[in-house]
Amino acid sequence: MTDSELWYTEYYTEHVRFSYRVSKLLLRKQTKFQLLEILETPEFGRLMLLDGKVMLTQRDEHVYHEMLIHPAMLAHPLPKRILVVGGGDGGSIREIVKYPFVECALLVDIDGEVIEASKEFFPELTSGFADPRVELKVGDAAEFVKDTDERFDICFIDCTDPVGPGPVGPAQALITDEFLDNVKAILADDGIMVVQSESPVYEIDYLKTYTSRLKERYPHVATYVIMVPSYAGLWSLTWASKTIDPSIEITRKPPKGLKYFTPELFGAALQMGKLDLWGARPHQL
Ligand code: SAM
């Protein structure tokens, strides 16, 4: 292979960028909702972008998916009915179906083309789609949570970025007051919601406002911070529940073969979520 001079640059802010050398452009397609691109890179393997933002890379997707899914799956008394909002790449469902007690895992993604491209280019993420307990719906999750009569034990919000530089796309509908109220309404009394809540460094103002809006709705809200090189290094996930505190001792055993998650690491991630080091920009110091 000849040395490629093709580079992809993601903007974290207008002042900070991160670049990847690209060995091959595998797919570039404007769907009805967003620009979908899949790149082959020497350092991170295959990488999926939506509207120019990294959704996942083969090298580190396990960190995000394990840490999004397993803490709530292990802490809830018996999660049988699970909703994934977004998540069309399949990584979240792959982790959820590792639990034999799950009866139904419903994924609602607005963009069927993300699901199809993931099946083709990331088969290691979409293996869970074949599980008979899994149902895939293509549609706006904001509409789904408004209209459904179903109730869920856990709702994972695995969506594109609703804020940040560049186009924000359909995830904007997933941060309205109406959406947050509707998610609360479809959660069982001991339900848990876990949401990807953006960079704790570059979107700290968003994160603070978002968590305070969750605190208006739930007594137990906590942010935890994970290490994902392709998400600007650190990323935040936020837990909200009517009854379950994330710092309870986890006694259920995690599935075998996880590469990042351990209960101890989750405890540390919660501690990192309490730090307020990332907030101050130079002009505020
Ligand atoms: N792990 C990723 C991240 O944090 O960058 C998210 C990956 S997943 C591919 C994000 C999915 O959210 C996309 O497939 C997108 O189509 C979906 N999405 C965005 N807005 C949505 C909406 N309103 N309803 C349902 N799905 C939505």
Side-chain angles (χ1 to χ4, degrees):
M1 197 192 314
T2 55
D3 192 25
S4 163
E5 279 312 320
L6 187 60
W7 288 77
Y8 160 71
T9 297
E10 182 174 22
Y11 282 73
Y12 294 156
T13 72
E14 61 178 300
H15 308 296
V16 183
R17 315 169 187 175
F18 188 82
S19 297
Y20 303 79
R21 187 189 293 279
V22 177
S23 24
K24 200 170 178 190
L25 174 64
L26 298 172
L27 180 76
R28 182 180 166 89
K29 190 170 190 190
Q30 180 64 51
T31 74
K32 195 172 156 200
F33 301 98
Q34 48 214 344
L35 177 63
L36 166 61
E37 294 168 291
I38 299 177
L39 314 177
E40 186 79 53
T41 70
E43 192 68 51
F44 282 83
R46 289 187 176 175
L47 187 154
M48 179 196 282
L49 305 169
L50 286 174
D51 284 338
K53 292 177 191 152
V54 174
M55 293 292 109
L56 64 98
T57 81
Q58 283 180 318
R59 188 165 182 195
D60 60 7
E61 58 81 15
H62 62 280
V63 176
Y64 170 84
H65 290 119
E66 289 184 11
M67 292 298 280
L68 177 69
I69 302 302
H70 296 295
M73 293 299 294
L74 293 166
H76 187 281
L78 196 58
K80 293 182 176 174
R81 299 184 53 77
I82 317 295
L83 174 65
V84 178
V85 165
D89 55 68
S92 293
I93 289 285
R94 178 192 65 199
E95 298 305 316
I96 292 165
V97 299
K98 290 179 178 171
Y99 293 90
F101 46 74
V102 169
E103 291 175 358
C104 147
L106 171 63
L107 178 140
V108 184
D109 196 295
I110 200 164
D111 199 338
E113 298 206 51
V114 174
I115 297 175
E116 291 313 312
S118 299
K119 286 185 193 162
E120 184 178 348
F121 293 101
F122 298 97
E124 72 279 19
L125 274 94
T126 57
S127 53
F129 288 167
D131 190 294
R133 299 167 296 168
V134 172
E135 188 187 340
L136 305 181
K137 254 191 215 303
V138 174
D140 185 347
E143 294 299 315
F144 173 79
V145 297
K146 184 166 74 182
D147 298 338
T148 186
D149 297 326
E150 296 181 59
R151 293 288 171 272
F152 295 91
D153 298 313
I154 307 181
C155 174
F156 294 107
I157 303 186
D158 181 8
C159 62
T160 43
D161 303 323
V163 287
V168 287
Q172 264 178 318
L174 308 178
I175 56 169
T176 64
D177 282 336
E178 187 189 5
F179 178 77
L180 296 182
D181 290 342
N182 288 335
V183 169
K184 186 177 174 197
I186 64 167
L187 275 180
D189 289 341
D190 56 1
I192 305 170
M193 158 185 159
V194 188
V195 52
Q196 75 86 355
S197 45
E198 300 297 312
S199 163
V201 180
Y202 301 115
E203 298 296 350
I204 186 70
D205 297 337
Y206 167 81
L207 176 59
K208 284 183 175 168
T209 309
Y210 184 75
T211 48
S212 65
R213 291 170 66 213
L214 288 177
K215 282 179 185 160
E216 288 164 14
R217 293 169 171 81
Y218 297 91
H220 300 282
V221 176
T223 292
Y224 54 105
V225 171
I226 60 174
M227 196 176 67
V228 189
S230 65
Y231 290 173
L234 300 174
W235 204 249
S236 78
L237 300 169
T238 298
W239 166 301
S241 172
K242 300 172 199 176
T243 53
I244 304 177
D245 184 328
S247 57
I248 57 164
E249 194 191 342
I250 292 180
T251 50
R252 184 175 291 139
K253 280 216 171 353
K256 287 203 167 46
L258 301 185
K259 292 187 263 181
Y260 187 95
F261 172 88
T262 64
E264 295 75 19
L265 197 66
F266 175 54
L270 282 169
Q271 292 305 319
M272 272 185 72
K274 290 182 190 162
L275 293 175
D276 200 14
L277 290 178
W278 332 109
R281 296 209 158 93
H283 62 274
Q284 299 166 332
L285 288 171

